[in-house]
Amino acid sequence: MKIIIRRAEIKDIKNMARLAALCIEDSIPPTRDVSLKNLKQARILDIETSLGKIINLSHVGIYLAEDEKGTLLGHLMGYVGDIESVTGEAQGWIFDLSVDPKYRRRGIARKLVEKFTEFVKKAGYNFIGLLVTSSNKAAVALYENLGFVEERKRMAKAPYIIVYREGLQVASSTAVAVPLPHHARTGYGEGFMQFYFSTYFSIRSASAFPIQRPL
């Protein structure tokens, strides 16, 4: 199968919204109890109503992967000029990478990231950042294979649950479940306090251009 990478256009938005909704289940951490149906509907609405406003902006890079017949295989949405929260360094940012499950493991995601990397290098930035859900092992492995490295972890907890320290052990895994005493259980899941770690990656590009900071 020949894979064609091109810039997305307004006419592509509806199909991109459906693909993003199809793939969103992979990005839901096990700690979150949400309605998948409602989440998919919200995802479609968000993309259909907002993407058209930014798709043609010069600092936005949105790309499609399709076959010779024009079938949508995957897409990448990103932009340059994102400001890294700690260092203040401007960088490229990927905010959605989706590949149709029927066409995965064919190098489509790699080609999309490579195309976006060219866009970032041409703009003169030295890094690309993104967020990936830790439980999405396939996505984590993909980014690591592409040269992304872990920079920090984002953690979450339910604020109404008290974490008891007795017997608590520090685990090396990226998802930790801490049993609560019986009287502290809330009925959520199996009564376990779960920490969710969303891993943030960044890749150094081979660009020789200086960092350009937005005006």
Side-chain angles (χ1 to χ4, degrees):
M1 179 179 65
K2 183 179 181 180
I3 301 171
I4 301 167
I5 308 295
R6 65 170 176 86
R7 288 293 295 252
E9 303 174 28
I10 295 290
K11 64 182 178 67
D12 301 312
I13 290 178
K14 285 189 177 294
N15 286 335
M16 294 173 66
R18 295 189 189 97
L19 177 58
L22 177 66
C23 298
I24 198 170
E25 185 173 2
D26 298 330
S27 297
I28 302 174
T31 50
R32 307 284 179 162
D33 184 14
V34 296
S35 165
L36 181 59
K37 179 181 178 181
N38 291 344
L39 197 61
K40 287 184 174 183
Q41 291 175 343
R43 185 67 166 165
I44 291 173
L45 180 63
D46 180 41
I47 291 177
E48 288 186 346
T49 56
S50 62
L51 203 60
K53 301 174 183 178
I54 66 170
I55 197 169
N56 292 321
L57 297 178
S58 60
H59 69 286
V60 174
I62 300 179
Y63 298 94
L64 299 184
E66 56 187 17
D67 62 14
E68 305 96 319
K69 297 179 181 179
T71 302
L72 178 62
L73 310 176
H75 67 237
L76 182 150
M77 306 178 190
Y79 63 96
V80 294
D82 176 76
I83 302 300
E84 204 281 318
S85 61
V86 175
T87 64
E89 183 174 12
Q91 61 184 1
W93 186 262
I94 296 173
F95 61 88
D96 189 83
L97 175 59
S98 299
V99 175
D100 190 314
K102 298 191 301 291
Y103 302 105
R104 290 177 181 174
R105 301 187 180 279
R106 303 190 190 192
I108 295 169
R110 176 180 291 274
K111 289 181 181 294
L112 286 165
V113 172
E114 288 174 348
K115 188 66 176 180
F116 183 69
T117 300
E118 293 175 5
F119 174 72
V120 173
K121 289 168 64 176
K122 186 176 180 180
Y125 294 85
N126 293 328
F127 286 88
I128 301 173
L130 58 86
L131 285 172
V132 60
T133 304
S134 298
S135 58
N136 190 349
K137 301 301 184 182
V140 172
L142 167 70
Y143 294 128
E144 290 177 339
N145 288 335
L146 289 172
F148 287 76
V149 296
E150 182 180 308
E151 285 195 328
R152 60 176 58 89
K153 294 180 184 293
R154 191 176 72 181
M155 303 165 64
K157 64 167 283 186
Y160 51 83
I161 297 179
I162 300 173
V163 176
Y164 290 81
R165 301 188 63 83
E166 289 77 13
L168 178 64
Q169 295 182 345
V170 178
S172 60
S173 64
T174 58
V176 184
V178 183
L180 295 178
H182 179 76
H183 67 273
R185 298 186 179 184
T186 63
Y188 173 77
E190 293 298 319
F192 286 89
M193 176 63 241
Q194 296 182 344
F195 292 92
Y196 161 58
F197 297 85
S198 181
T199 309
Y200 170 56
F201 290 80
S202 184
I203 182 172
R204 181 178 296 277
S205 74
S207 172
F209 295 100
I211 297 171
Q212 296 178 354
R213 299 188 183 279
L215 299 177

